[in-house]
Structures are given as structure tokens and as C-alpha cells.
Amino acid sequence: MELFLQQVLNGLMIGSTYAVVALGFSLVFSVMRVVNMAHPEFFMAGAFGAFVTITYVTRNFFGVLVGGIVVAAVVGLVVERFAIRPVRGRYILIPFIATSGVGIALQHAAERIFGSDPVLVPAAIPSVSYNLGALLVTRMQLITLGTAAVLMLALRYYVRNTKWGRATRAVAERPDVAAAFGVDVNLVSRLTIGISALMAGAAGVTIGLLYTSAWAFMGGLYGLKSFVCMLVAGNRHIEGVMVIGLLLGVLEALVSGYVTSTLR
């Protein structure tokens, strides 16, 4: 029983990251009808943003989080302007191919800058472990889960309860009708990409700090699993994406604990 609960706890930590990245996929596809295959590289950009911030600016966790988010958001907005906006509204494979090419270019640009091997991301907070009964959890694991929970709840509130969230839902339903009623579709699209990149970047920061490493190709695996979460849950169901992401993380942890980690 103790092993089961420990693995469930571990699974929730990583599953929350899958959910956050999957929500970014879902938001962009719902609003822009674009499968943004460069989205995993926003995650990678966040991790390297954390590395650069710690190395050259500050080791304060919130400063590192902001640094990673800013880097990811800037990359996201550049991708939106030069790779997504020119092909938005065309046959779905065209933006799929365009963003796939941009994603590969971002991977190799990061490899060129930081090297082909993972870089060490120094700790931004002290390494502390807590015993919750028979369970063991680290401070960084709790911060990872807490950051993901805040991001998921904030996105839900934004979409359901704010003016721009209503505009986002209107564009997702009928962009032509939304534009006729005065919604700036291009601004909503930029905002959508920025929010999705922000969320992926924050997830990249926490994972980089949790595993103390960043790698040019780290976005691929997380992006693939998050994309599957979005497909299974349905791209318009925020709560469903959250649940599927958490369940995938728990399933992986249980398979690792009871069978073998090679089957994850």
C-alpha cells in the first residue's frame, strides 16, 4: 500500500506537467485550428531560460520562473508571427508542416548554442524532503505540482470568467462571427499563443529544476505525451485534459513501480 501511494504521488507530479503542456496544445488548436508542433520547444525554451537566468541573473525561484516564462513567451510570439500567422486558416497539414519545421529548427538552434549534451541546471531552492506519513516528497516536487495547479486553475478562470476568455471562446466557435461583432481575431490569436507558450515555459522551468537538467531535445517526449492527452480528452475540454494528464502520469508511475521503468 505504501508503494502504491508513493507511486501515485510521484505520478501526480509528472502528470501535472503533462496536463499543463497539453492545455497549451488544446488552447491553440481550439482557437486557431492549428496543430502547433513547435509547442514542445516552448517547454524546452523555458528550461533553458531557467538555466540562463540562474547562471547570469538570479537564483531566486520566482525570478527563475519569470525568466523561463519570458524566454518561452518570446519564442512563442516569434513563431506565431513568422510561422503560424501566414498559414493560419489553410488546410490543416500546412501549419502542421510549417510548425514541425520550426520545431526542428529550434531544437538544433538550442543544440548549437548549448551543446548536444544536457546542461546542468543549478538548484534554485534548497533540497529538502518531507515525510508525509510513510510517503516521501521533496520540496521541488511540491513546487512542481503547485505551479501546475495554479496554472491550470488560472487558465480555467481566464477562459470561463474574463472578457478576453469569452473572446477566445467566441473565436474558437466561429471566428468569422466573432470578427463581425468586433473581436480582434489576430490579437486573440497572439494572446492564445502567448498564454500557451507561457504555460509550457513554466512547466519547462519546473521540470528543469526538478531533474536539474535541460536538453535541446527534451521537449519531444513531453510534447508527444501531452499531445496524446489532448487528443484523448478532446481539445475543448479543459477539465478533461487536466484529468487525462494526471492519469497518464499516475499510470506511468504505477507501471514503473510494479512492472519495469522500461515499459513507461
Side-chain angles (χ1 to χ4, degrees):
M1 190 61 180
E2 292 178 3
L3 175 61
F4 175 79
L5 293 176
Q6 182 68 60
Q7 292 303 107
V8 168
L9 183 62
N10 295 339
L12 289 175
M13 305 296 173
I14 193 65
S16 63
T17 300
Y18 296 155
V20 168
V21 180
L23 284 172
F25 264 124
S26 175
L27 189 64
V28 172
F29 186 73
S30 297
V31 174
M32 305 176 69
R33 304 295 191 275
V34 169
V35 181
N36 181 16
M37 298 309 294
H39 186 69
E41 275 50 71
F42 304 160
F43 173 86
M44 175 266 291
F48 277 115
F51 167 73
V52 171
T53 303
I54 292 174
T55 304
Y56 298 106
V57 184
T58 179
R59 288 200 173 198
N60 177 272
F61 172 74
F62 292 104
V64 172
L65 183 61
V66 170
I69 286 174
V70 168
V71 171
V74 169
V75 172
L77 292 174
V78 170
V79 171
E80 188 276 335
R81 176 62 185 85
F82 294 102
I84 296 178
R85 193 185 307 179
V87 298
R88 192 181 70 213
R90 300 187 184 182
Y91 180 57
I92 192 170
L93 280 181
I94 296 177
F96 179 91
I97 294 169
T99 55
S100 295
V102 170
I104 293 171
L106 289 172
Q107 288 176 351
H108 288 282
E111 182 185 32
R112 182 80 173 180
I113 295 170
F114 298 102
S116 57
D117 296 324
V119 300
L120 175 66
V121 179
I125 61 170
S127 179
V128 179
S129 298
Y130 302 101
N131 292 309
L132 305 177
L135 305 180
L136 181 67
V137 62
T138 67
R139 180 179 293 178
M140 193 60 228
Q141 285 180 317
L142 291 175
I143 290 176
T144 299
L145 182 60
T147 302
V150 168
L151 289 170
M152 289 188 285
L153 293 175
L155 179 66
R156 187 181 187 281
Y157 179 83
Y158 167 80
V159 171
R160 306 290 187 195
N161 302 101
T162 68
K163 172 186 174 182
W164 286 108
R166 289 191 292 273
T168 300
R169 284 185 284 133
V171 173
E173 290 292 334
R174 287 290 300 274
D176 53 341
V177 176
F181 277 88
V183 175
D184 188 335
V185 176
N186 285 331
L187 179 58
V188 170
S189 297
R190 288 194 295 272
L191 194 59
T192 299
I193 287 290
I195 291 173
S196 70
L198 180 153
M199 295 183 67
V205 170
T206 55
I207 289 298
L209 293 174
L210 181 64
Y211 295 115
T212 66
S213 68
W215 185 42
F217 302 97
M218 66 185 294
L221 186 59
Y222 286 92
L224 175 62
K225 293 178 180 180
S226 300
F227 185 62
V228 170
C229 291
M230 185 268 285
L231 292 178
V232 172
N235 62 288
R236 298 194 180 190
H237 299 89
I238 293 176
E239 294 82 2
V241 174
M242 295 178 188
V243 171
I244 294 298
L246 294 172
L247 286 177
L248 177 60
V250 170
L251 180 62
E252 280 191 0
L254 291 177
V255 169
S256 296
Y258 286 96
V259 188
T260 172
S261 60
T262 59
L263 292 179
R264 285 198 311 173

